[in-house]
Amino acid sequence: GDSVTQMEGPVTLSEEAFLTINCTYTATGYPSLFWYVQYPGEGLQLLLKATKADDKGSNKGFEATYRKETTSFHLEKGSVQVSDSAVYFCALIKEGAEGSQGNLIFGKGTKLSVKP
Amino acid sequence: DAGVIQSPRHEVTEMGQEVTLRCKPISGHNSLFWYRQTMMRGLELLIYFNNNVPIDDSGMPEDRFSAKMPNASFSTLKIQPSEPRDSAVYFCASSYSGIQTEAFFGQGTRLTVV
């Protein structure tokens, strides 16, 4: 079945370091891809998305490019801040039957800790 | 708007007891989702409702789990009897028109069954 695989955490970085969190997916057809962020004590929030190959999603300095050839959607940020400390989830969704929306499939999450 | 409100935030219960988790979706949203988050399995969709009607409950793990949405502003997830393996964080989310990817999540209920 469809699945999402993320790099295992935790990831610990110093402030202003470069961040990459790897995400690869397995899916038939053409899924849409997402990154969600979960700050401590809060629910998930959509961070960015890409709906077709070669699309780049971006938000709050984070970027991810939909790479169909490598089935990847790696999350990057050039200079992380302490406030970016959170758990990051990669996810995919496909179109369901009769054009309906299928279910979101999440990776297991990667915990990021940024030290001052 | 206060967002999606879940209660309680934390629940500790003994094995065999009934547990009820509650959710108030964002006013005007007509779709509601229940998720479970564990270390082993990550985040999984349990059930979702559209206009108070359960649409897909294929993620509900066992008959011990049940969910209801008696009106547009309230939903419950009940576990009876509870077991230690039910320990997890349970999230409720709501959206307009069933769009999961546009759902807003509550802060979650951390359930511990001892």
Side-chain angles (χ1 to χ4, degrees):
Chain A
D2 300 337
S3 65
V4 175
T5 303
Q6 293 180 232
M7 63 187 288
E8 296 222 0
V11 174
T12 302
L13 296 174
S14 297
E15 209 165 21
E16 299 184 3
F18 184 85
L19 168 71
T20 300
I21 300 178
N22 289 341
C23 171
T24 57
Y25 68 90
T26 300
T28 57
Y30 303 97
S32 295
L33 303 175
F34 305 84
W35 277 101
Y36 283 79
V37 59
Q38 183 181 20
Y39 297 106
E42 298 185 11
L44 276 70
Q45 304 173 28
L46 180 61
L47 179 60
L48 54 84
K49 66 180 180 182
T51 57
K52 61 182 189 296
D54 299 326
D55 267 2
K56 177 186 285 188
S58 61
N59 187 21
K60 299 182 181 180
F62 290 88
E63 293 183 340
T65 301
Y66 189 141
R67 301 285 188 201
K68 190 171 184 296
E69 63 276 14
T70 54
T71 62
S72 65
F73 193 54
H74 304 321
L75 182 68
E76 297 182 336
K77 186 174 185 181
S79 176
V80 293
Q81 305 300 311
V82 173
S83 57
D84 294 326
S85 298
V87 181
Y88 293 82
F89 294 87
C90 186
L92 69 82
I93 199 165
K94 292 194 312 185
E95 191 173 287
E98 300 176 349
S100 65
Q101 192 179 55
N103 287 340
L104 270 171
I105 296 171
F106 289 90
K108 290 193 175 180
T110 302
K111 184 175 182 179
L112 170 66
S113 295
V114 180
K115 307 297 184 187
Chain B
D1 197 311
V4 176
I5 300 173
Q6 292 186 243
S7 64
R9 291 293 310 278
H10 302 275
E11 175 80 38
V12 180
T13 191
E14 291 186 346
M15 183 173 63
Q17 296 297 305
E18 177 181 294
V19 176
T20 300
L21 311 182
R22 298 173 174 79
C23 176
K24 177 177 168 32
I26 293 174
S27 177
H29 283 185
N30 57 4
S31 297
L32 184 140
F33 309 87
W34 281 102
Y35 291 89
R36 179 173 66 175
Q37 184 181 39
T38 62
M39 292 291 290
M40 290 296 294
R41 300 173 66 91
L43 198 66
E44 305 170 286
L45 178 66
L46 299 178
I47 185 171
Y48 82 89
F49 296 84
N50 208 35
N51 293 320
N52 311 337
V53 176
I55 302 301
D56 183 357
D57 65 354
S58 59
M60 295 285 265
E62 300 173 34
D63 291 345
R64 298 184 296 106
F65 286 69
S66 62
K68 293 183 180 179
M69 193 164 185
N71 57 62
S73 58
F74 184 64
S75 177
T76 59
L77 178 67
K78 185 178 293 186
I79 308 172
Q80 166 63 13
S82 58
E83 297 182 2
R85 59 195 169 114
D86 301 330
S87 298
V89 181
Y90 291 83
F91 287 102
C92 175
S94 71
S95 76
Y96 182 70
S97 292
I99 307 294
Q100 277 187 70
T101 55
E102 296 177 4
F104 290 79
F105 282 72
Q107 292 181 296
T109 295
R110 181 174 294 277
L111 172 65
T112 303
V113 183
V114 298

